[in-house]
Amino acid sequence: MASHAEEVAAGAVWTPCGYRSETAALRSVLLVRPPDSIGAVRRPGASLMIGPVDLPAMRAQCDALADRLRDDGVEVHLAAPEASPNVVFARDLFWMTPAGAVLARMASAQRAGEERHAALALAGAGFPILRTVSGTAVFEGADALWIDPSTVVVGTGFRTNAAGAAAVASAVAELGARVVTVPLAPGVQHLLGTVVFLGPSTAVVHRAACPPELAALLAAYGYRVIPLQPDEELLVRRGMNLLVLAPERVLMPAGCPGIRRTLERAGVAVDEIDVGAYLRAAGGIGCVTGVVRREH
């Protein structure tokens, strides 16, 4: 009898999903259409937002992002739950392995319960739920990144704890992979805000937020590191909050010419898209896009 992972890969029982590389060609994503609750926010800070968000503008930007990805040959699963405002940041709600999703357990009270909307969307599309994080564990999908096909880096901090990292380790152990944990710098929400892998041996890092453990790990794995300074483009316009479409080819927020030049000088092909409404909600392209499948 075939293993579960083999059934997923074959596509007869389950819809194929997962990846072992953060930079392989993107094939399938989950986006969440902005819910009505965003337009009802009166105290943005209490909803983890920077300021009031223009709901029609955010919906238009969601549609434009979906169209841009489809033009690139990416399958877009567009969920439309009536949920709390931050559900739009699908990257946090799950993390996908080649055998199925590890469903998050959100650390912030404002986001508790969003995971079930991701579960419904994933299951409805035929993707298996491999693990659900429970007990005292917390885990968010933007804290887990493949550094190579057999190693996952999990950032631990105030969004993912040691028990959450252990849940990820349990899931990938069945696939012959291991987890290495790194502590995130104080105030850093997710590992994805510290490092983004751009190619098989290239990574961009937020220099001021990169802990020594992560710097040593990148060096040990032979990565060429592109450091970014904590200027307005990085911290306010979220220029590093981007989406890798294929090795050394990215889609990044518009309005960050300095970061774009830095990436292009390093040999990265760059395209841009406006996500200004999402920036008001304290997220960017990387946060919005739940990565479901990349080429194996």
Side-chain angles (χ1 to χ4, degrees), residues 15-17 25-31 65-78 125-127 289-294:
T15 304
C17 62
L26 188 62
R27 289 292 173 251
S28 181
V29 302
L30 174 67
L31 300 180
L65 176 59
D67 288 342
R68 171 62 183 79
L69 292 173
R70 291 186 186 107
D71 288 345
D72 206 62
V74 178
E75 182 181 39
V76 176
H77 301 272
L78 188 60
F127 303 115
T289 311
V291 178
V292 173
R293 182 170 170 258
R294 291 184 182 275

Side-chain angles (χ1 to χ4, degrees), residues 91-95 139-145 190-193 286-287:
R91 182 64 179 261
D92 301 335
L93 302 180
F94 67 95
W95 179 72
F139 165 70
E140 299 189 6
D143 275 329
L145 300 171
H190 294 120
L191 180 64
L192 194 63
C287 300

Side-chain angles (χ1 to χ4, degrees), residues 215-227:
L217 195 63
L218 292 171
Y221 278 80
Y223 273 83
R224 174 180 61 130
V225 171
I226 305 168

Side-chain angles (χ1 to χ4, degrees), residues 10 30 67 111 127 148 158 164 174 188-190 206 245-246 251:
L30 174 67
D67 288 342
R111 302 197 65 181
F127 303 115
D148 78 0
F158 63 92
E174 298 175 1
V188 174
Q189 289 192 28
H190 294 120
H206 177 180
L245 301 174
L251 181 64

Side-chain angles (χ1 to χ4, degrees), residues 92-160:
D92 301 335
L93 302 180
F94 67 95
W95 179 72
M96 192 66 78
T97 80
V102 177
L103 199 65
R105 180 168 182 257
M106 309 304 290
S108 60
Q110 295 94 328
R111 302 197 65 181
E114 291 177 12
E115 310 93 326
R116 63 192 179 94
H117 299 291
L120 286 169
L122 292 168
F127 303 115
I129 306 296
L130 186 63
R131 286 286 189 286
T132 56
V133 176
S134 60
T136 59
V138 289
F139 165 70
E140 299 189 6
D143 275 329
L145 300 171
W146 291 94
I147 193 169
D148 78 0
S150 62
T151 311
V152 182
V153 183
V154 175
T156 56
F158 63 92
R159 295 300 182 94
T160 295

Side-chain angles (χ1 to χ4, degrees), residues 37-285:
S37 59
I38 290 174
V41 170
R42 295 295 174 263
R43 296 171 55 230
S47 295
L48 307 178
M49 296 180 172
I50 294 171
V53 176
D54 184 329
L55 177 58
M58 182 182 272
R59 284 178 170 166
Q61 289 171 9
C62 177
D63 292 341
L65 176 59
D67 288 342
R68 171 62 183 79
L69 292 173
R70 291 186 186 107
D71 288 345
D72 206 62
V74 178
E75 182 181 39
V76 176
H77 301 272
L78 188 60
E82 280 309 316
S84 55
N86 290 283
V87 74
V88 296
F89 298 122
R91 182 64 179 261
D92 301 335
L93 302 180
F94 67 95
W95 179 72
M96 192 66 78
T97 80
V102 177
L103 199 65
R105 180 168 182 257
M106 309 304 290
S108 60
Q110 295 94 328
R111 302 197 65 181
E114 291 177 12
E115 310 93 326
R116 63 192 179 94
H117 299 291
L120 286 169
L122 292 168
F127 303 115
I129 306 296
L130 186 63
R131 286 286 189 286
T132 56
V133 176
S134 60
T136 59
V138 289
F139 165 70
E140 299 189 6
D143 275 329
L145 300 171
W146 291 94
I147 193 169
D148 78 0
S150 62
T151 311
V152 182
V153 183
V154 175
T156 56
F158 63 92
R159 295 300 182 94
T160 295
N161 61 12
V168 176
S170 171
V172 300
E174 298 175 1
L175 303 171
R178 69 183 183 117
V179 159
V180 176
T181 61
V182 295
L184 299 182
V188 174
Q189 289 192 28
H190 294 120
L191 180 64
L192 194 63
T194 302
V195 60
V196 178
F197 296 108
L198 303 176
S201 60
T202 303
V204 60
V205 301
H206 177 180
R207 172 178 277 176
C210 185
E213 296 88 346
L214 178 58
L217 195 63
L218 292 171
Y221 278 80
Y223 273 83
R224 174 180 61 130
V225 171
I226 305 168
L228 297 180
Q229 300 301 324
D231 58 12
E232 182 187 5
E233 288 192 12
L234 180 67
L235 300 179
V236 178
R237 304 182 202 171
R238 299 179 185 264
M240 200 178 94
N241 199 308
L242 49 77
L243 179 64
V244 177
L245 301 174
E248 298 188 347
R249 187 163 68 88
V250 305
L251 181 64
M252 67 175 287
C256 301
I259 291 178
R260 176 169 186 160
R261 282 194 299 271
T262 297
L263 296 178
E264 289 178 334
R265 286 170 183 162
V268 179
V270 178
D271 197 2
E272 297 181 351
I273 193 167
D274 179 19
V275 289
Y278 286 101
L279 300 183
R280 297 284 288 171
I285 298 172

